[in-house]
């Protein structure tokens, strides 16, 4: 058989043989039909042109593009496609959908909560509202998810985003050693009796509650009665304190709230500050209490205030356990978020709840969010895995290793982990060391950025082992990334492309095509946020 594939092309012998056979067959078809697409179609054979026409193109589906460029690319498209362009394009699943299905659910009216795209933040929410207003269909008051939003498909259909299970905390154990600048927790939650099932790669959705001190301070600023009944952004009727704790997002002040306060504050300097916030956007870490303090002296009712708040959405955490290992429990790896701004301590709503506000034996509302895009262990247990998960991004890979250990899978496993200091921040060190000794973890590369004169990150460790990494990819390895989308995942993506082009002797365009093929085959999968 003639060879249609160059010897330098990055395929193994089996792939090369299949491709040569494919192109040989295609050449034969073209010769018989005189190269005519019309003749091929008449014979019942699909043409390349037909395949292209049938596959809808989403040119805006690129997380590196700013929202202005994405909206330009979607100009003239139907509403659901414009809404899709407004999303963050990560397909991260934090909204309970992927970008395309979330936009379609909003456009159809099945989903009324327009603030679910957490990576897109305020700019996505504002663009969605703008598009819906232009379409003459303003978003209705939000409900706690749509009928199908977030429903589990892996045996836990009774419990979902709309119908969460009340699960008890088993433990919230610090993973960092004394001296660390971080507080990362290993959180174990009891699912016994729930019937809930999950697969490795899934996420656990948790409905958080706001800190009672923050809620109390807001009520004082409003000069309101904490017991007065109010309608919440989730469509419930509750006493004000309970409503703020359970149903209201107190993190990002909405433009509606700022606009309301502009008209109510008697102070010109406060009006000027509020108008500046409207024009330029609020600074990082600026919350609902901050805007009330800027407008001190203004008068608004509790009902008016709540009408301007977004719903408190669930937080999704990558599951750090396999049910084959832990039974009716689910484990998480949670980084506690606490920082000071303008003399006031700010707290991550879910992370501080899990670290401080829920005691052992107390409950929280949870649901399973199935993984998307193939973010799970390979179906073929012989296939190698390369995992990149610095910081709390290690969570799903603890689960992957537990799964492979329980199955006694023969496939090789390679983990890149990084954090600040090896002495304080080597999360799951004893477990990973045991996996290395047992052979479950074939290779462990670590990058502790603050231990040397030069900062070293996981992408640097990848480059140091470029030839070996390329060898694993040629053996069909699946490549996984979990963690921060804006910096780490982007840096890892650039390093991976560099390794492929360098070691595979490809041009940049060929390297990008190779990566695109890996993605389409679900061999390059990311869980980023």
């Amino acid at each position: 058989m003639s060879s249609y594939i160059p010897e330098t092309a990055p395929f193994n012998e089996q792939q090369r043989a299949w491709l040569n056979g494919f192109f040989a067959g295609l050449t034969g078809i073209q010769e018989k039909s005189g190269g005519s697409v019309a003749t091929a179609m008449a014979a019942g054979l699909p043409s390349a042109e037909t395949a292209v026409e049938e596959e809808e193109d989403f040119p805006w589906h690129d997380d590196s593009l700013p929202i202005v460029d994405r909206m330009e690319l979607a100009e003239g498209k139907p509403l659901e496609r414009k809404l899709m362009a407004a999303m963050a394009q990560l397909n991260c699943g934090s909204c309970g959908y992927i970008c395309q299905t979330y936009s379609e659910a909003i456009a159809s009216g099945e989903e009324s909560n327009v603030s679910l795209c957490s990576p897109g933040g305020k700019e996505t929410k504002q663009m969605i509202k703008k598009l819906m207003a232009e379409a003459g269909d303003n978003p209705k008051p939000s409900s706690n998810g749509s009928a199908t939003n977030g429903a589990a498909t892996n045996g836990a259909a009774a419990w979902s985003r709309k119908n969460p299970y009340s699960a008890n905390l088993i433990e919230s154990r610090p993973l960092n050693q004394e001296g660390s600048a971080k507080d990362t927790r290993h959180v174990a939650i009891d699912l016994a009796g729930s019937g809930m099932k999950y697969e490795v790669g899934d996420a656990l959705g948790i409905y958080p509650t706001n800190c009672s001190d923050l809620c109390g301070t807001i009520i004082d600023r409003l000069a309101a009665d904490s017991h007065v009944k109010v309608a919440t952004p989730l469509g419930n009727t509750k006493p004000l304190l309970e409503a703020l704790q359970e149903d209201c997002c107190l993190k990002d002040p909405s433009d509606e709230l700022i606009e309301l306060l502009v008209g109510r504050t008697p102070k010109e300097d406060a009006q000027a500050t509020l108008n500046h916030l409207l024009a330029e956007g609020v600074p990082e870490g600026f919350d609902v209490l901050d805007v009330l303090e800027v407008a001190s002296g203004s008068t608004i009712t509790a009902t008016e205030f709540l009408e301007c708040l977004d719903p408190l959405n669930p937080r999704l955490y990558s599951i750090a356990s396999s049910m084959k290992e832990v039974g009716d429990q689910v484990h998480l790896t949670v980084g506690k978020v606490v920082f000071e701004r303008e003399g006031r301590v700010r707290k991550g709503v879910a992370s501080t709840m899990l670290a401080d506000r829920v005691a052992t034996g107390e409950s929280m509302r949870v649901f399973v969010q199935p993984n998307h895009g193939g973010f799970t262990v390979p179906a073929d247990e012989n296939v190698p895995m390369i995992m990149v998960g610095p910081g709390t991004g290690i969570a799903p890979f603890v689960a992957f290793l537990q799964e492979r250990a329980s199955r006694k899978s023969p496939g090789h496993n390679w983990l890149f982990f990084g954090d600040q200091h090896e002495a304080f921040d080597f999360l799951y060190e004893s477990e990973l060391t045991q996996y290395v000794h047992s052979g479950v973890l074939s290779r462990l590369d670590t990058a502790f950025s603050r231990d040397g004169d030069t900062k070293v990150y996981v992408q640097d460790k990848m480059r140091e082992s470029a030839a070996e990494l390329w060898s694993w990819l040629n053996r069909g390895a699946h490549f996984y990334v979990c963690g921060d989308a804006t910096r780490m995942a982007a840096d890892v993506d650039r390093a991976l492309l560099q390794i492929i082009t360098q070691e595979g002797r490809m041009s940049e365009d060929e390297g990008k095509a190779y990566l695109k093929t890996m993605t389409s085959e679900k061999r390059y999968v990311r869980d980023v946020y």
Side-chain angles (χ1 to χ4, degrees), residues 167-174 185-190 329 352-364:
N168 291 340
L169 179 70
I170 296 173
E171 68 169 342
S172 177
R173 169 171 54 87
R185 300 298 181 103
H186 176 77
V187 176
I189 297 169
D190 189 5
Q329 296 183 15
T352 56
M353 181 190 83
L354 291 169
D356 302 327
R357 296 198 301 277
V358 177
T360 300
E362 292 183 344
S363 66
M364 67 197 81

Side-chain angles (χ1 to χ4, degrees), residues 25-76:
L26 183 61
T27 302
I29 291 169
Q30 290 176 334
E31 289 172 352
K32 289 178 182 179
S33 64
S36 166
V37 172
T39 307
M41 290 177 67
L45 300 169
S47 72
E49 291 180 10
T50 305
V52 170
E53 288 175 359
E54 290 175 352
E55 183 178 348
E56 186 176 358
D57 186 28
F58 301 136
W60 55 81
H61 194 51
D62 180 348
D63 60 70
S64 67
L65 293 175
I67 192 169
V68 174
D69 293 350
R70 300 199 304 268
M71 297 315 300
E72 285 182 1
L73 290 169
E75 191 172 344

Side-chain angles (χ1 to χ4, degrees), residues 119-164:
K122 186 175 181 179
E123 69 173 9
T124 290
K125 182 183 70 174
Q126 289 178 327
M127 183 57 70
I128 292 173
K129 288 185 175 181
K130 179 176 180 288
L131 291 168
M132 295 300 285
E134 289 173 352
D137 185 14
N138 288 303
K140 304 177 183 66
S142 175
S143 63
N144 189 358
S146 69
T148 58
N149 181 15
T153 58
N154 52 14
W159 306 109
S160 65
R161 181 185 290 255
K162 187 177 180 181
N163 183 35

Side-chain angles (χ1 to χ4, degrees), residues 215-230 238-244 292 298-306:
C215 297
T217 303
I218 289 173
I219 291 172
D220 289 343
R221 293 290 184 274
L222 295 172
D225 179 358
S226 63
H227 300 290
V228 65
K229 293 289 184 69
V230 291
K238 298 181 177 182
L240 178 58
L241 177 59
E242 189 177 329
L244 292 177
L292 290 178
S298 59
T299 302
I300 60 173
T301 67
T303 297
E304 290 174 321
F305 177 64
L306 264 72

Side-chain angles (χ1 to χ4, degrees), residues 250-308:
L250 305 179
K251 180 173 179 277
D252 300 312
S254 66
D255 284 353
E256 292 86 350
L257 176 59
I258 298 173
E259 288 169 354
L260 175 64
L261 291 170
V262 167
R264 298 294 180 87
T265 182
K267 302 175 184 177
E268 291 185 4
D269 58 340
Q271 290 177 358
T273 300
L274 293 169
N275 280 318
H276 177 77
L277 293 173
L278 280 173
E280 302 296 330
V282 298
E284 186 69 28
F286 191 89
D287 64 13
V288 167
L289 178 55
D290 286 318
V291 79
L292 290 178
E293 290 178 338
V294 168
S296 60
S298 59
T299 302
I300 60 173
T301 67
T303 297
E304 290 174 321
F305 177 64
L306 264 72
E307 286 174 348
C308 296

Side-chain angles (χ1 to χ4, degrees), residues 169 172 185 207-215 245 312 336-338 346-360 362-364:
L169 179 70
S172 177
R185 300 298 181 103
Y207 279 94
T209 56
N210 285 304
C211 172
S212 59
D213 290 342
L214 175 61
C215 297
Q245 287 178 313
L312 182 57
K336 179 180 173 181
V337 177
V338 178
R346 317 302 170 100
K347 303 175 182 179
V349 60
S351 64
T352 56
M353 181 190 83
L354 291 169
D356 302 327
R357 296 198 301 277
V358 177
T360 300
E362 292 183 344
S363 66
M364 67 197 81

